[in-house]
Amino acid sequence: MPRRVLTGYLAVQAVLGAAVFGAPAAAAVWWGAIGVVSVAAVGWGIHRHRPPRRLPWLLLAGGAGALAVGDVHYELSRRTAGAVGEVLSLIADAAYLATFGLLAAGVLSLTRTTVSLRDRSALLDTLVLVVVTGLVTWTLVVGPAVTDVNLPAVEKALLAVHGLGGVLVVVVMLRLAAAAWRDPTVIGLAVGAAGMLTADVWYAAAELNAGWQPGHPAELGWYVFYVSWGVAALHPNMARLATRSDPGPDDVAAMRVGLLTITCLTVPFLLVIQAFAGAPAELPDGLVTAAAAGLTTMLAVTRVVDSVTGHRAAVHRERSLRKAGTRLLSATTIAQVAEMVRRSVGELLPAGTDHQVLFAVRRPVAGAGGGPPDPESVAEWQPQVVVDDPLPVDAARRRTRIMPIRLLHPDLADRLAPAPAALVAGLAVPASSGGTGTALLVGAAAGVLAASRDAIEVVAAQAALALHRIAATEDAARRDRDRYLNLVAGTVGDAVVIVGADDRIRYASPPCSRLFGVEPAVLADWRDLVHPADQEQVSRTLGAAGDRHDGSAVGDQWVLRRPDGSHVLLEVRCRDLRLVPGVRGLVLTFSDLADQRRRDSELALRRIDRSAPGQNRRSLRRRFR
């Protein structure tokens, strides 16, 4: 479809171009049709390719349409005498003035948003080049031409506008083409701007000499302008050209410094040339020269101030990153990591910036046993929003994203409002957190987030390292605890079981297999080990221990049915140690009452056998059998 549209557009423009030069008597009709077709091509490109920012292309389309209106009224004014002709001429002049204003605004808007010219420094350099180029053009070409002929002041002003406006558009387009010289859209815009400048200069020269006549070869430049800009808008790259991108580093290259130096020295160099050329002391172009010198100086000073401000911001970010690294190095819990990240992000953003810091946690998925997810795996990230959908970040790529909050999950967008944009960074999550995904979201203005993006990425990476360090420390502590419990449980003969907040077994000592008649599997639900008829007494004990917030033990006696049908009488002591980092669960200690009573009975019998003579040992032995 786009290829057929492009072919049809070129065919129509070729027919209209041939009509302009073949039938100049109806030039008003042909130029109007060429302008309408070109504007329609730009509109179709906007509709088809949907650029993120339509304003630059709408301004360019408006400039092409205004030029077509001016061409039509100019041709009509040449064939109409009297007051009507003067009115048509005024309309044409106003349209031409609007043309250069719209084109300049559209081109400058492209340089502010394009992926090729990324920062304000490049824009300032471009404006300095435009001012100096316009001054040189005025001093050497336009100024002498309009002062040496007897034309009305309005005509002279229009000739100057044609020359300087074309220079403005061409210089900016050439700057854009130098940054992206392989982009077909940029090439089309640059060719069209060059054609318009050529036609304007040729038109001014003709007006100053023999006068302008329809069918002049200079009209080919305007024709190239219409056709080239329509082709540029039909190319798919037109959407990429208007895409807002992150500001890159302000690299002050030697070429840019040299260009800025040359442009700033152009004004005094022109004054020296005029002085040696014998120009009068009052200098007829003195006002223009003074205005250009002042504007160039202001732009250069602004450029220097921006560089100094950027350097100060970089020093501040470096200090903040050092502080963040020191804080995260001392963090021992996930809650402390979250607090340090919030504080570091607030220091990295410019002072007084309205922002929101939020942690998005993906809800843990319950296991095959149907138990609820572990709340401890997400509770330490504050402030947080728990979502069931995948998080809007790829933690493996370690790259942040800046996106409008309207594209986020509704729960996240509500918490970050009224910030227009959000920076999303993935955080590595330790295995102890249940395998859930976690993302850092910072809500603020898009420009502020873009300027602080790299620094926030560093903080996120340091936080990920801190999380891995904490996870490794907890794993080592857990292994030491398991070895200790195995040693103690094997020495005293009791069984120890640790049940997590999700009702899953985190640890089971070796004697458990003898007591329960089955080997307890780690991460299995405790209900898988207990007969359904005995689960009520287990739930009652666990609930009573969980209600005690002081960590004191709850004692109880259980009668559990084994898989082989036998029963075991257990004395149970349960303590809630879910807040202890090395345990994170309910600790149950079991003692077999049957074994204990058997040992007590044997001890009593041995005491009877050793008692003094004369006592009825037989009756006592019978009593304890």
Side-chain angles (χ1 to χ4, degrees), residues 60-73:
L60 296 181
L67 181 61
V69 172
D71 290 341
V72 171
H73 286 81

Side-chain angles (χ1 to χ4, degrees), residues 351-366:
T353 302
D354 294 332
H355 68 282
Q356 299 287 338
V357 178
L358 184 66
F359 295 101
V361 183
R362 190 174 184 185
R363 191 185 308 277
V365 181

Side-chain angles (χ1 to χ4, degrees), residues 477-534:
R478 187 179 298 109
R479 288 192 297 268
D480 294 341
R481 179 205 64 195
D482 292 346
R483 286 195 295 266
Y484 171 77
L485 291 176
N486 284 332
L487 179 61
V488 173
T491 302
V492 302
D494 292 338
V496 179
V497 174
I498 299 178
V499 180
D502 55 353
D503 293 339
R504 299 187 179 278
I505 297 175
R506 299 292 180 86
Y507 170 79
S509 62
C512 290
S513 58
R514 179 180 58 82
L515 291 181
F516 295 103
V518 63
E519 183 70 27
V522 179
L523 298 182
D525 197 293
W526 65 263
R527 297 176 183 84
D528 299 336
L529 304 179
V530 180
H531 193 275
D534 302 331

Side-chain angles (χ1 to χ4, degrees), residues 171-365:
V171 169
V172 178
M173 285 309 308
L174 291 178
R175 176 69 177 87
L176 188 61
W181 59 276
R182 294 185 178 181
D183 194 314
T185 301
V186 175
I187 294 175
L189 293 176
V191 171
M196 183 182 64
L197 176 62
T198 302
D200 288 337
V201 173
W202 209 336
Y203 166 77
E207 283 288 335
L208 293 175
N209 295 318
W212 177 263
Q213 297 297 329
H216 194 281
E219 292 183 346
L220 184 61
W222 289 317
Y223 176 74
V224 170
F225 164 77
Y226 284 119
V227 176
S228 298
W229 283 38
V231 172
L234 292 177
H235 197 277
N237 279 15
M238 62 91 67
R240 175 182 174 273
L241 192 65
T243 301
R244 185 183 297 275
S245 63
D246 301 336
D250 189 11
D251 297 330
V252 185
M255 181 179 298
R256 296 179 65 176
V257 174
L259 182 61
L260 185 62
T261 304
I262 293 174
T263 53
C264 291
L265 293 177
T266 301
V267 175
F269 181 71
L270 289 176
L271 293 177
V272 171
I273 291 179
Q274 289 179 342
F276 279 100
E282 62 273 10
L283 291 179
D285 298 332
L287 181 60
V288 177
T289 304
L295 185 57
T296 304
T297 303
M298 291 176 57
L299 293 174
V301 170
T302 304
R303 182 73 168 85
V304 174
V305 171
D306 286 350
S307 299
V308 174
T309 303
H311 175 69
R312 291 178 178 175
V315 172
H316 173 73
R317 286 194 296 268
E318 182 181 357
R319 293 175 180 174
S320 300
L321 287 176
R322 286 202 301 266
K323 293 180 181 178
T326 304
R327 294 167 182 165
L328 291 172
L329 186 62
S330 61
T332 57
T333 63
I334 297 179
Q336 291 180 359
V337 172
E339 173 64 24
M340 300 307 174
V341 169
R342 291 196 307 269
R343 186 185 304 178
S344 300
V345 169
E347 293 179 354
L348 289 173
L349 297 177
T353 302
D354 294 332
H355 68 282
Q356 299 287 338
V357 178
L358 184 66
F359 295 101
V361 183
R362 190 174 184 185
R363 191 185 308 277
V365 181

Side-chain angles (χ1 to χ4, degrees), residues 327-477:
R327 294 167 182 165
L328 291 172
L329 186 62
S330 61
T332 57
T333 63
I334 297 179
Q336 291 180 359
V337 172
E339 173 64 24
M340 300 307 174
V341 169
R342 291 196 307 269
R343 186 185 304 178
S344 300
V345 169
E347 293 179 354
L348 289 173
L349 297 177
T353 302
D354 294 332
H355 68 282
Q356 299 287 338
V357 178
L358 184 66
F359 295 101
V361 183
R362 190 174 184 185
R363 191 185 308 277
V365 181
D374 185 2
E376 298 295 333
S377 62
V378 299
E380 292 184 285
W381 296 103
Q382 296 295 335
Q384 66 167 239
V385 171
V386 181
V387 296
D388 296 318
D389 301 331
L391 298 176
V393 70
D394 184 4
R397 296 179 59 189
R398 308 301 313 150
R399 182 63 178 171
T400 59
R401 298 175 57 189
I402 299 178
M403 53 195 307
I405 62 171
R406 67 176 183 275
L407 301 180
L408 296 174
H409 189 279
D411 295 341
L412 300 175
D414 293 340
R415 291 289 298 273
L416 292 175
L423 184 147
V424 187
L427 295 177
V429 181
S432 60
S433 64
T436 61
T438 306
L440 167 66
L441 289 92
V442 182
V448 174
L449 295 177
S452 305
R453 178 177 184 174
D454 294 337
I456 295 178
E457 282 185 357
V458 174
V459 172
Q462 292 177 342
L465 292 176
L467 292 173
H468 285 295
R469 173 177 52 80
I470 294 173
T473 302
E474 290 185 356
D475 290 341

